[in-house]
Amino acid sequence: KESKPIEYLSKFSLGIYATHKYFQYLSIIFLSPYFATIGISKKLQLGIFRINVQAIAITALTISFTVLAVQLLEKTPLRKYIH
């Protein structure tokens, strides 16, 4: 038996692939000026690790909006394009 995340990915892989870049671009467009305005450095030093905060924020928003969009599209007649 497949796990829930694997089952979700296999069912909606086309929808995820088709929509994730749009949300990634929107996240970049809206977050880049915000990070520049508040003056957060792109990379924070945490001990021996350098963490790219902007990349983590963009990734989190992209994943969140992609999953939300796929869930919403599944409830509409457009679901034939995401399965």
Side-chain angles (χ1 to χ4, degrees):
K1 181 162 164 80
E2 294 178 351
S3 67
K4 291 287 183 188
I6 301 299
E7 188 177 320
Y8 181 83
L9 286 173
S10 66
K11 184 176 180 182
F12 295 112
S13 62
L14 178 62
I16 292 168
Y17 177 76
T19 61
H20 83 279
K21 279 294 183 184
Y22 295 112
F23 295 113
Q24 183 181 22
Y25 294 144
L26 286 174
S27 297
I28 291 169
I29 289 169
F30 288 115
L31 282 181
S32 293
Y34 176 74
F35 276 98
T37 301
I38 61 174
I40 291 180
S41 172
K42 280 189 173 186
K43 296 187 178 171
L44 295 177
Q45 189 73 31
L46 293 174
I48 61 171
F49 300 104
R50 291 172 52 110
I51 307 295
N52 189 335
V53 178
Q54 189 171 4
I56 292 172
I58 289 169
T59 301
L61 276 176
T62 300
I63 290 170
S64 299
F65 285 134
T66 300
V67 169
L68 180 65
V70 168
Q71 289 294 327
L72 290 174
L73 285 171
E74 194 214 358
K75 295 175 177 27
T76 69
L78 297 173
R79 69 179 158 267
K80 63 184 173 185
Y81 297 113
I82 62 168
H83 280 268

